[in-house]
Amino acid sequence: RQIPWVGGGGGATALSAAEARPGVMRREIASFFDAAAAARPLVLVFEDLHWADDATIDLVHHLATRSTRAPLLVFATYRPAEAVVATHPVARLRAAPRERLTVFDLQPLSRDEVRRCLGLFFADADEVVAGLLDETMRRSGGNPLFVLALAQLLVDRSIVTRSDAGWRLASGSALDAIGAPAAVETLLAQQFGLLTEKERLLLDAAAVAGEELDAAAVAGGLGEDVEGVDAELRRVAAHA
């Protein structure tokens, strides 16, 4: 009744209040996927759950944690930095019983992986990749989104150009002066908006300390205990 347009069920019909309850809808949607999986194994992919609402998270949680014999795999992705607050609905997924849930915490790309990523973007341009690798690694920290955004920015600024002869890196280019890609700035602004006032003050002080972060310097700037500041910095960094 909840999804009458699949399975030859005819047109939509009005639902009673009881039928429209979220729990009933979740069970009926799950039954539909079970029926589809009976024909052949089924993989459901939910991406970017850091943007999902409560109802979507509840559905994913129900699909992933219920008992079923159906050959059904639920695969979901999210960015921890954008789901850092404890009240974020994604936290309910991570708290699910681990016998039914496997969590893969992806690590930053290694230097070799960043090289390969740049090699895919700048195909057949080993010299260009070699010339960009150090600065890309330093600025991206191995974040694949940042790697690709930086590569695109270099093309947009004509620092890397393409002709019939292939990709070419402009000589004397000041890679450290090109600024941050708009996509990266937007992402960082969104993440910053999720922080508490205390966390923002902490990061403001950390930014003044420079690239080599020193908890003692940050604590001194804030007039707080070094051990407490160090613990708070580690907590924030764990979700970055």
Side-chain angles (χ1 to χ4, degrees), residues 188-202:
L188 292 177
Q190 291 169 344
Q191 293 178 3
F192 200 72
L194 294 173
L195 299 176
T196 65
E197 183 64 26
K198 181 179 180 180
E199 290 169 338
R200 294 179 191 179
L201 290 173
L202 183 71

Side-chain angles (χ1 to χ4, degrees), residues 125-215:
D126 292 345
E127 290 187 7
V128 170
V129 170
L132 298 175
L133 182 58
D134 286 343
E135 187 65 18
T136 301
M137 191 69 195
R138 184 185 73 81
R139 299 187 64 180
S140 71
N143 183 305
L145 173 64
F146 292 5
V147 170
L148 294 177
L150 285 168
Q152 185 61 55
L153 181 63
L154 293 172
V155 174
D156 293 342
R157 299 285 179 84
S158 297
I159 293 175
V160 180
T161 57
R162 189 174 190 177
S163 65
D164 292 340
W167 292 103
R168 177 177 176 273
L169 176 62
S171 59
S173 299
L175 300 182
D176 59 349
I178 64 172
V184 173
E185 290 183 340
T186 300
L187 179 61
L188 292 177
Q190 291 169 344
Q191 293 178 3
F192 200 72
L194 294 173
L195 299 176
T196 65
E197 183 64 26
K198 181 179 180 180
E199 290 169 338
R200 294 179 191 179
L201 290 173
L202 183 71
L203 293 184
D204 283 342
V208 176
E211 288 190 23
E212 296 296 327
L213 186 58
D214 182 358

Side-chain angles (χ1 to χ4, degrees), residues 29-197:
I29 292 172
S31 295
F32 165 71
F33 285 129
D34 283 348
R40 60 178 179 177
L42 185 65
V43 177
L44 300 178
V45 179
F46 297 86
E47 293 190 316
D48 294 335
L49 286 185
H50 46 275
W51 298 126
D53 58 12
D54 285 346
T56 301
I57 295 294
D58 288 342
L59 173 61
V60 175
H61 185 279
H62 178 70
L63 291 170
T65 59
R66 68 204 172 92
S67 296
T68 178
R69 293 182 178 275
L72 177 65
L73 173 66
V74 178
F75 186 87
T77 68
Y78 76 99
R79 289 197 291 263
E82 298 189 30
V84 62
V85 292
T87 56
H88 195 287
V90 165
R92 297 202 296 275
L93 285 178
R94 293 191 66 99
R98 288 308 172 93
E99 63 268 17
R100 297 190 177 276
L101 174 71
T102 302
V103 177
F104 299 95
D105 290 316
L106 301 184
Q107 300 302 309
L109 299 179
S110 67
R111 182 181 178 84
D112 186 57
E113 289 168 334
V114 170
R115 180 189 290 109
R116 281 186 281 165
C117 192
L118 289 173
L120 291 173
F121 193 96
F122 300 112
D124 302 318
D126 292 345
E127 290 187 7
V128 170
V129 170
L132 298 175
L133 182 58
D134 286 343
E135 187 65 18
T136 301
M137 191 69 195
R138 184 185 73 81
R139 299 187 64 180
S140 71
N143 183 305
L145 173 64
F146 292 5
V147 170
L148 294 177
L150 285 168
Q152 185 61 55
L153 181 63
L154 293 172
V155 174
D156 293 342
R157 299 285 179 84
S158 297
I159 293 175
V160 180
T161 57
R162 189 174 190 177
S163 65
D164 292 340
W167 292 103
R168 177 177 176 273
L169 176 62
S171 59
S173 299
L175 300 182
D176 59 349
I178 64 172
V184 173
E185 290 183 340
T186 300
L187 179 61
L188 292 177
Q190 291 169 344
Q191 293 178 3
F192 200 72
L194 294 173
L195 299 176
T196 65
E197 183 64 26

